[in-house]
């Protein structure tokens, strides 16, 4: 029996990068996965990858910051696969500036995607978790469900030019610890993974504005200057940035049964960079 047979997972931001790798990992262990991306094509690609390997997946395309997204995301798991066992809040991006140049719009956008969106998704999941826990108590069954929120080393230590991102990622740690206390009675573990430098399209793209992502019609430059990236890698004890597969692996550890007695914790996945 695979570790996650008959489990149902929802993973925001899983059309690409770390989220896609995690979706494939969970599906390989038997979980049915609801995939999400802003765009249809990458979401469909992830679903197809899982299906080709013999797994089950569906897609909910849309912006996680939309007011009704959390309800739609959870409903897709219930309607499509009959339950909900694993929630991973992975979607996000950066929109950097030093504080005196940062607009309210810039601040709000990052707080919405990294803090409000996970809050809404988890609020939508609460009735499902509560009802399942009540039913299982009455039948004598015990099922451990999982929430993994994605934070960052910037949320733990701060980072110049990222006051919005650092604040959002620090906030998700607080949310994680609060819900670990609230949801223990449902036998739900709530943990966070804080990523260090991971090589994704958001870090490896040119930092000269030639590579952008489209978020709600806004063209946002992405990428880290190669010299800055090389300097950061020199400070990492393992000597390199992590891969999306390695980042997904850290989240995977908190989704499998071997971590059933771990809750309220922040796992730093940074190659030794603290």
């Amino acid at each position: 029996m695979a570790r996650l047979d008959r489990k149902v997972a929802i993973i925001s931001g899983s059309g690409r990068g770390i989220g896609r790798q995690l979706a494939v990992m969970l599906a390989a262990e038997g979980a049915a996965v609801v995939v999400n991306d802003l765009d249809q094509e990458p979401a469909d690609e992830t679903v197809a990858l899982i299906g080709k390997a013999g797994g089950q997946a569906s897609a909910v395309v849309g912006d996680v910051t939309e007011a009704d997204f959390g309800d739609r995301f959870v409903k897709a798991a219930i309607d499509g696969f009959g339950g909900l066992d694993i929630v991973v809040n992975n979607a996000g991006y950066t929109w950097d500036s030093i504080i005196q140049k940062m607009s309210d719009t810039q601040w709000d956008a990052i707080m919405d995607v990294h803090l409000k969106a996970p809050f809404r998704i988890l609020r939508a999941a609460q009735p499902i978790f509560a009802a399942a826990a009540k039913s299982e108590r009455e039948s004598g069954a015990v099922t451990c469900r999982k929430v993994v929120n994605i934070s960052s080393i910037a949320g733990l230590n701060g980072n110049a030019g990222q006051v919005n991102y650092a604040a959002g990622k620090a906030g998700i740690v607080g949310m994680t610890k609060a819900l670990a206390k609230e949801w223990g009675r449902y036998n739900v573990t709530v943990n966070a993974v804080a990523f260090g430098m991971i090589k994704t399209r958001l870090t490896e793209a040119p930092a000269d504005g030639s590579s952008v992502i489209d978020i709600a019609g806004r063209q946002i430059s992405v990428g880290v200057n190669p010299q800055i990236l090389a300097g950061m890698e020199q400070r990492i004890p393992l000597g390199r940035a992590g891969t999306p597969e390695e980042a997904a692996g850290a989240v995977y550890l908190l989704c499998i049964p071997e971590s059933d007695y771990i809750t309220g914790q922040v796992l730093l996945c940074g190659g030794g960079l603290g």
Side-chain angles (χ1 to χ4, degrees), residues 2 16 21 24-25 35 37 43 47 67 71-72 103 115 125 155 172 196 201 204 213 219 225 231 239 247:
R16 303 173 171 92
Q21 295 298 326
V24 169
M25 285 181 184
V35 172
D37 196 89
V47 170
D71 293 324
R72 290 196 295 116
S103 67
L115 204 52
I172 202 70
R201 69 188 181 112
E204 291 194 297
I213 56 174
Q219 300 299 303
N225 182 288

Side-chain angles (χ1 to χ4, degrees), residues 130-213:
K134 180 180 179 181
S135 174
E136 288 158 4
R137 279 195 300 270
E138 291 171 353
S139 67
V142 177
T143 299
C144 184
R145 293 178 172 83
K146 311 275 188 166
V147 172
V148 186
N149 297 317
I150 303 305
S151 185
S152 166
I153 194 169
L156 304 181
N157 300 327
N159 194 35
Q162 291 190 316
V163 65
N164 52 357
Y165 181 72
K169 289 306 192 185
I172 202 70
V173 170
M175 185 185 297
T176 296
K177 291 181 177 292
L179 285 183
K181 292 178 170 61
E182 286 189 22
W183 287 5
R185 66 184 183 273
Y186 306 141
N187 205 30
V188 174
T189 67
V190 187
N191 294 291
V193 174
F195 293 139
M197 176 55 69
I198 308 295
K199 286 190 174 181
T200 69
R201 69 188 181 112
L202 300 183
T203 57
E204 291 194 297
D208 59 2
S210 61
S211 183
V212 298
I213 56 174

Side-chain angles (χ1 to χ4, degrees), residues 95 97-109 164:
W95 190 2
S97 285
I98 52 177
I99 191 168
Q100 64 268 34
K101 294 184 177 180
M102 184 172 291
S103 67
D104 285 358
T105 298
Q106 202 169 349
W107 170 271
D108 290 343
N164 52 357

Side-chain angles (χ1 to χ4, degrees), residues 39-166:
D39 303 312
Q40 188 77 50
E41 185 175 356
D44 287 346
E45 288 174 355
T46 301
V47 170
L49 279 172
I50 291 170
K52 186 176 180 180
Q56 292 182 287
S58 66
V60 174
V61 175
D63 186 342
V64 297
T65 67
E66 293 171 354
D68 68 340
F69 179 84
D71 293 324
R72 290 196 295 116
F73 204 23
V74 169
K75 187 173 186 296
I78 303 303
D79 291 350
F81 300 115
L84 180 60
D85 302 281
I86 299 168
V87 178
V88 180
N89 285 303
N90 171 72
Y93 63 98
T94 58
W95 190 2
D96 299 345
S97 285
I98 52 177
I99 191 168
Q100 64 268 34
K101 294 184 177 180
M102 184 172 291
S103 67
D104 285 358
T105 298
Q106 202 169 349
W107 170 271
D108 290 343
I110 295 303
M111 296 299 284
D112 282 351
V113 72
H114 291 288
L115 204 52
K116 185 181 283 186
F119 158 72
R120 285 172 167 164
I121 291 168
L122 294 171
R123 181 176 61 185
Q126 188 278 338
I128 308 303
F129 288 161
K134 180 180 179 181
S135 174
E136 288 158 4
R137 279 195 300 270
E138 291 171 353
S139 67
V142 177
T143 299
C144 184
R145 293 178 172 83
K146 311 275 188 166
V147 172
V148 186
N149 297 317
I150 303 305
S151 185
S152 166
I153 194 169
L156 304 181
N157 300 327
N159 194 35
Q162 291 190 316
V163 65
N164 52 357
Y165 181 72

Side-chain angles (χ1 to χ4, degrees), residues 223-241:
V224 177
N225 182 288
Q227 292 181 329
I228 294 175
L229 185 60
M232 293 176 69
E233 287 187 300
Q234 289 177 358
R235 297 195 296 273
I236 298 171
L238 288 183
R240 60 177 178 81

